């Protein structure tokens, strides 16, 4: 595999994009996927159940000190930040909001960039704040590959636009193309 | 731009300076969060590199406190995770009633909201008179705020809902004196509280506790350090004592975990067997 992990951030409007995207992953071998979207405290179990039933994927809530596995999606719980340690295990912290968000996309992406360098594929979706832009920039600077949702297709363009204003992403995609782009970059057909 | 390997080395050096000069042991804190805090501190102090913290740490009196207070995250709120408090009311309070006098330890109490929350529930249960409450932290700023017991009015207002969810029977605001946007908890709540600086990594046992509450502290530690700290708590407890952890912490993978039964899993409430 060309990538060891995929990290995805999004906020307002990203839920639908993710539902459609994860639904297309069945039968594809993918590295672990980390997801930070701005969900309220205590809501992660409901999101996990919903994604798993709707998409047939294997989503889990991030747990502190968990070791991530391929073909699994890890959702950062509301009220906590999810981080990637240098040994590539997951950890949680409750440092208070960053960019008014907890989980913050920047916190996830910045730590993932340090842990994975050029082995990271990072995705930033629609959202109404600029959380994630700094994280994407760090992923880019450390050699990772960046995909940003085309702001024209975003329910809330602020988030993807903030990233574009900071650096030039490798791919600008419309939601219909996201799954295909991720699969062609990071996926392998399962035996 | 940040070089991951350089940042790792710089973090090691700062941690070594804290340890060798002050005996403050952050060696087994989870690195991702620690690196973030150090980078935040560097930005706040308008420094260039993480290692720029070292000369100040070694030569500037008082800087170490600022640093610890910057590293040790102290976000908290009244009745945070109310299910924890209601589980304590349900499982621990009946046991407390059997004691003429008992001790409770809040390890890593931060600015103390959790401690006042507990005192309120104890008071409502008619148990506060028999309680001695120890509230400890390494963060001296936070500890000073805990001692004062003064919080923004909005923080109390936001706590009302959780207070009720925890099984509170009145209004949280009624336990405070409000003036100019701040709320000060009633001094009767504070009578049996003792605040002191204590480092769970390096300091000694606090004896004879019926309940140790240590929430959202272990999450910042690597597994081996978690094992050691749980061992410290175990040695600080009375026979059949209780431990309450944060919502994302558990004794499941802890070496000494088998010595405890889980009373309420979502509330992370445990009891020594
Ligand atoms: C996130 S706060 C948790 C506050 C409160 N218990 C809660 O759950 O809302 C973590 C606290 O742990 C304290 N802490 C960190 N390392 C510590 C140590 N080695 N010994 C004692 N307290 C520590 C920090 O200073 C901070 O106040």
């Amino acid at each position: 595999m060309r990538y060891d992990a995929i990290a995805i951030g999004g906020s307002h409007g990203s839920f639908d994009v993710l539902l459609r995207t994860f639904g297309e992953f069945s039968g594809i071998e993918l590295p672990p996927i980390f997801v930070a979207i701005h969900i309220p405290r205590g809501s992660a179990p409901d999101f996990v159940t919903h994604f798993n039933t709707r998409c047939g994927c294997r989503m889990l809530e991030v747990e502190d000190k968990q070791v991530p596995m391929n073909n699994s999606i890890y959702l950062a719980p509301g009220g906590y930040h999810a981080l990637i340690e240098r040994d590539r295990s997951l950890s949680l912290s409750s440092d208070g909001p960053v960019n008014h968000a907890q989980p913050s996309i920047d916190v996830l992406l910045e730590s993932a960039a340090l842990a994975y360098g050029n082995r990271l594929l990072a995705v930033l979706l629609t959202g109404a704040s600029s959380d994630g832009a700094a994280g994407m920039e760090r992923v880019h600077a450390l050699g990772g590959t960046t995909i940003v949702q085309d702001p024209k297709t975003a329910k809330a363009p602020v988030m993807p636009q903030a990233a574009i204003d900071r650096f030039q992403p490798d791919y600008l995609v419309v939601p219909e193309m996201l799954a295909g782009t991720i699969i062609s970059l990071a996926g392998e057909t399962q035996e | 731009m940040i070089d991951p390997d350089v940042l790792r080395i710089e973090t090691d050096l700062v941690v070594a300076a804290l340890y060798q000069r002050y005996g403050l042991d952050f060696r087994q804190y989870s690195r991702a969060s620690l690196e973030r805090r150090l980078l935040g501190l560097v930005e706040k102090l308008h420094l260039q590199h993480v290692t720029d913290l070292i000369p100040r740490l070694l030569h500037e009196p008082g800087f170490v406190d600022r640093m610890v207070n910057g590293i040790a995250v102290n976000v908290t709120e009244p009745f945070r995770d109310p299910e924890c408090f209601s589980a304590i009311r349900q499982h621990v309070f009946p046991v407390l009633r059997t004691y003429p006098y008992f001790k409770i330890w809040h390890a890593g109490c931060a600015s103390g909201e959790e401690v006042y929350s507990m005192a309120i529930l104890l008071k409502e249960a008619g148990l506060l008179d028999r309680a001695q409450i120890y509230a400890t932290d390494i963060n001296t700023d936070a500890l000073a705020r805990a001692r004062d017991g003064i919080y923004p009015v909005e923080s109390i207002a936001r706590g009302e809902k959780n207070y009720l969810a925890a099984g509170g029977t009145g209004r949280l605001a009624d336990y405070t004196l409000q003036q100019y946007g701040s709320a000060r908890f009633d001094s009767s709540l504070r009578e049996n509280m003792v605040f002191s600086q204590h480092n769970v990594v390096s300091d000694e046992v606090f004896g004879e506790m019926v309940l140790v509450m240590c929430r959202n502290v272990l999450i910042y530690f690597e597994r081996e350090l978690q094992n050691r700290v749980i061992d410290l708590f175990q040695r600080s407890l009375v026979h059949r004592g209780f431990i309450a952890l944060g919502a994302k912490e558990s004794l499941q993978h802890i070496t000494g975990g088998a010595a405890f039964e889980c009373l309420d899993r979502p509330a992370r409430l445990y009891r020594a067997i």
Side-chain angles (χ1 to χ4, degrees):
Chain A
M1 278 187 196
R2 194 169 131 209
Y3 297 97
D4 293 337
I6 302 172
I8 305 179
S11 189
H12 184 63
S14 63
F15 182 65
D16 292 334
V17 181
L18 290 175
L19 274 181
R20 123 174 255 147
T21 305
F22 294 157
E24 293 179 42
F25 283 170
S26 70
I28 308 290
E29 181 85 15
L30 285 165
I33 301 177
F34 312 120
V35 177
I37 49 178
H38 297 155
I39 58 174
R41 197 189 292 201
S43 66
D46 289 342
F47 276 96
V48 166
T49 312
H50 197 78
F51 272 109
N52 286 341
T53 11
R54 286 278 302 272
C55 308
C57 57
R58 180 167 192 271
M59 184 183 273
L60 308 154
E61 181 179 336
V62 171
E63 281 179 40
D64 195 40
K65 316 248 179 308
Q66 197 171 26
V67 179
M69 294 185 306
N70 288 351
N71 306 315
S72 304
I73 304 173
Y74 297 87
L75 180 71
Y80 290 82
H81 298 298
L83 301 93
I84 317 295
E85 297 292 330
R86 294 303 182 89
D87 67 5
R88 298 181 171 186
S89 63
L90 296 164
S91 66
L92 292 173
S93 84
S94 67
D95 301 9
V98 171
N99 308 320
H100 307 288
Q102 194 163 231
S104 146
I105 304 165
D106 276 343
V107 173
L108 172 67
L109 292 179
E110 288 176 1
S111 62
L114 291 173
Y116 288 101
N118 64 5
R119 307 284 301 169
L120 180 68
L121 176 62
V123 182
L124 191 64
L125 301 174
T126 161
S129 81
S130 59
D131 187 27
M136 289 296 276
E137 188 179 21
R138 186 185 286 179
V139 171
H140 178 72
L142 294 180
T145 302
T146 50
I147 301 177
V148 173
Q149 180 175 350
D150 184 343
K152 288 200 286 292
T153 68
K155 204 169 195 176
V158 176
M159 186 173 282
Q161 189 59 50
I164 295 168
D165 290 345
R166 294 178 80 123
F167 71 100
Q168 195 178 352
D170 299 301
Y171 300 89
L172 206 61
V173 302
V174 300
E176 301 76 45
M177 297 295 290
L178 181 60
T181 309
I182 293 175
I183 291 169
S184 70
L185 286 167
E188 274 166 26
T189 316
Q190 272 170 354
E191 308 280 295
Chain B
M1 199 48 192
I2 285 175
D3 180 320
D5 293 327
V6 172
L7 179 59
R8 192 207 319 250
I9 295 167
E10 289 195 289
T11 305
D12 281 343
L13 292 171
V14 171
V15 166
L18 279 165
Y19 184 59
Q20 290 176 31
R21 181 67 181 85
Y22 301 99
L24 289 165
D25 193 351
F26 289 95
R27 291 176 299 177
Q28 294 182 340
Y29 276 55
S30 294
R31 276 308 166 90
S33 168
L34 187 59
E35 284 174 349
R36 243 199 111 71
R37 306 297 293 181
L38 290 177
L39 288 172
L41 211 54
V42 163
E43 195 181 313
K44 196 169 127 201
L45 299 171
H46 307 291
L47 302 173
Q48 203 178 351
H49 303 295
V50 170
T51 34
D52 293 339
L53 293 164
I54 296 175
R56 301 194 59 179
L57 196 53
L58 297 181
H59 306 298
E60 190 179 314
F63 187 74
V64 61
D65 288 331
R66 278 178 71 185
M67 217 174 126
V68 169
N69 296 347
I71 295 176
V73 179
N74 54 63
V75 178
T76 184
E77 61 186 42
F79 292 98
R80 176 181 194 173
D81 301 321
E83 63 279 9
C84 172
F85 289 94
S86 49
I88 288 172
R89 279 186 48 231
Q90 189 192 335
H91 295 283
V92 184
F93 279 20
V95 178
L96 295 181
R97 282 190 202 290
T98 66
Y99 286 87
Y101 161 84
F102 57 83
K103 298 199 271 186
I104 293 177
W105 179 15
H106 293 265
C109 67
S111 43
E113 286 87 332
E114 172 187 289
V115 190
Y116 291 94
S117 304
M118 179 65 92
I120 287 169
L121 293 186
L122 287 169
K123 186 169 181 150
E124 291 180 358
L127 288 165
L128 188 59
D129 300 342
R130 310 187 211 171
Q132 178 81 282
I133 304 177
Y134 296 88
T136 65
D137 204 285
I138 49 167
N139 185 322
T140 49
D141 281 351
L143 212 47
R145 275 179 281 144
R147 201 173 273 123
D148 289 343
I150 302 173
Y151 305 100
V153 170
E154 305 80 60
S155 143
I156 303 299
R158 277 196 303 272
E160 295 286 359
K161 211 172 102 206
N162 280 353
Y163 162 67
L164 292 178
T169 50
R171 273 181 69 226
L172 192 50
D174 291 343
Y175 289 97
T176 67
L177 209 78
Q178 308 207 346
Q179 230 177 4
Y180 311 116
S182 4
R184 176 170 205 170
F185 276 112
D186 202 282
S187 56
S188 68
L189 294 172
R190 214 182 351 248
E191 266 162 27
N192 304 337
M193 290 181 191
V194 179
F195 297 91
S196 70
Q197 200 175 1
H198 180 282
N199 187 334
V200 295
V201 178
S202 49
D203 290 334
E204 258 317 294
V205 165
F206 250 55
E208 302 288 288
M209 300 293 156
V210 176
L211 167 66
V212 175
M213 210 159 166
C214 182
R215 303 192 305 152
N216 303 299
V217 180
L218 294 183
I219 207 173
Y220 293 98
F221 299 169
E222 288 175 2
R223 185 76 75 203
E224 198 191 309
L225 181 55
Q226 293 184 344
N227 290 338
R228 265 175 47 207
V229 174
I230 291 298
D231 177 63
L232 175 82
F233 292 158
Q234 191 171 8
R235 287 184 287 119
S236 303
L237 284 177
V238 297
H239 175 66
R240 299 281 284 144
F242 300 85
I243 292 186
L245 300 177
K248 301 293 173 197
E249 297 160 336
S250 93
L251 292 184
Q252 206 176 1
H253 302 283
I254 302 288
T255 316
F260 292 86
E261 58 178 325
C262 182
L263 298 179
D264 183 326
R265 176 137 176 89
R268 309 295 156 135
L269 181 64
Y270 299 86
R271 185 172 195 189
I273 298 169

